Amino acid sequence: MKKYICYFLLIFLCLTLNSQNKDNEVSHWKSVSTGDFYTLAIKADSTLWAWGYNEDGRLGDGTTLDKNYPIQIGNNKWKMISAGKNYSLAIKEDGTLWAWGNNNHGQLGDGTTLNRISPVQIGNDKWKMATASFASQSYSLAIKEDGTLWTWGSNKSEQLGVGRSEQELKQSLVPVQVGQDKWLMVSAGSWSSLGIKEDQTLWNWGLFSGNLLDEETKGIKTPLQVGSDKWKTALTGWVYTLGIQEDRTLRNLEDKKTHQVSDGTIKYEFARIGKDKWKTISTNMTHVLAIKENGTL
């Protein structure tokens, strides 16, 4: 009898542990990024998962079939993801950059305009971050491990920031470098791009960049500094731009006041949103999510 009891206890223990492992596997996630009707996410074990609409292969599972539950993409370890309108960018733990999905404007950066239903590696360099855009004229921004900024894809709104107009450079099928400066982060909007350099200054370029600067500036071919404040992060969405300053205040960069100071320069004052301190923000095409320093969403 004791022998059977031991067997039952052993089976019960195994089933319990297996259930706990499944619960942990399902509930423990490290990061998530949402695109146009699809989602990418990285679990705590650094594996990549995707689900949702799969036109053009934006999920990266080697098919164009929609998935209503998370499926694993390969067996590699990943450290960051960015889901765009209909294509995806991701960086593995070894620093290599990969892309898949729609490629009609060269936004994947692989030198072609062919759609990819599985991840393809972009060059052999090491990368720190990459961001995909929600624009119909899709383009990509990325920062290498050495801090240099690179862009590719459509240049219809001069959003690549390389100093050439859409007539001079309609699109780039491979990454092209933007200046020699070092950058902390970048954000790809619908018509313009935003970035923060290593000195925490904010820079803007592309069509309608004048929204952040002055009414006479309607398009910028290369990055132009916005004010002199220090910033932690800044993100541009479809028709709005938000940022968190060094003092952790959340600012609406589309709602500004300008003041001319004694040396003739313009000082920009952006409207503060609430009185709280903020930790991070995430923008999509139509809405914003943010986390305060107290951890509330």
Side-chain angles (χ1 to χ4, degrees), residues 1 30 46 89 113 115 142 144 150 166 179 185 262 277:
M1 180 63 71
K30 188 157 56 175
S46 297
L89 301 175
T113 54
N115 296 344
K144 287 187 179 180
W150 298 73
E166 194 254 344
M185 62 85 60
S262 57
K277 301 292 186 180

Side-chain angles (χ1 to χ4, degrees), residues 9 95 122 132 141 202:
L9 288 175
I122 310 305
L141 306 174
L202 181 66

Side-chain angles (χ1 to χ4, degrees), residues 40-264:
L40 302 177
I42 298 177
K43 285 189 177 181
D45 63 1
S46 297
T47 55
L48 175 62
W49 298 73
W51 61 96
Y53 191 47
N54 198 20
E55 185 182 32
D56 304 327
R58 65 191 72 180
L59 297 186
D61 69 333
T63 77
T64 55
L65 302 175
D66 299 344
K67 303 296 189 301
N68 59 5
Y69 55 89
I71 56 168
Q72 186 173 348
I73 308 302
N75 297 309
N76 303 103
K77 303 294 186 181
W78 302 80
K79 69 177 181 180
M80 74 84 55
I81 44 178
S82 179
K85 179 178 175 62
N86 49 20
Y87 73 105
S88 306
L89 301 175
I91 298 175
K92 290 183 180 179
E93 285 192 342
D94 64 4
T96 56
L97 176 64
W98 299 73
W100 60 93
N102 188 281
N103 196 27
N104 60 335
H105 296 289
Q107 60 265 38
L108 298 189
D110 67 343
T112 76
T113 54
L114 301 174
N115 296 344
R116 303 292 185 178
I117 60 176
S118 298
V120 292
Q121 186 173 346
I122 310 305
N124 296 307
D125 298 293
K126 305 298 184 181
W127 299 81
K128 184 166 59 175
M129 76 157 293
T131 180
S133 76
F134 276 87
S136 56
Q137 301 285 332
S138 297
Y139 70 106
S140 303
L141 306 174
I143 300 174
K144 287 187 179 180
E145 283 190 349
D146 64 3
T148 55
L149 174 61
W150 298 73
T151 64
W152 60 95
S154 173
N155 196 38
K156 187 176 180 61
S157 302
E158 300 172 3
Q159 65 268 45
L160 296 188
V162 293
R164 284 173 281 174
S165 67
E166 194 254 344
Q167 288 73 29
E168 298 167 314
L169 180 65
K170 184 176 181 179
Q171 62 188 22
S172 178
L173 305 184
V174 295
V176 289
Q177 187 171 350
V178 180
Q180 301 294 325
D181 296 298
K182 307 296 185 182
W183 297 78
L184 287 177
M185 62 85 60
V186 283
S187 175
S190 293
W191 300 286
S192 68
S193 305
L194 200 65
I196 297 176
K197 290 187 179 180
E198 284 190 348
D199 62 2
Q200 292 186 272
T201 54
L202 181 66
W203 297 73
N204 189 215
W205 62 96
L207 188 65
F208 301 136
S209 296
N211 292 353
L212 304 190
L213 300 165
D214 59 77
E215 297 306 321
E216 300 303 319
T217 307
K218 296 302 182 185
I220 305 170
K221 296 180 184 179
T222 58
L224 188 64
Q225 187 172 349
V226 181
S228 57
D229 297 304
K230 303 294 185 182
W231 297 82
K232 289 288 187 182
T233 187
L235 296 175
T236 178
W238 189 30
V239 289
Y240 56 84
T241 306
L242 300 171
I244 298 176
Q245 289 189 336
E246 192 175 32
D247 62 2
R248 296 293 184 181
T249 57
L250 181 62
R251 303 281 175 170
N252 176 6
L253 279 74
E254 301 291 342
D255 186 359
K256 70 181 185 305
K257 295 179 181 179
T258 57
H259 311 278
Q260 188 166 358
V261 294
S262 57
D263 62 359

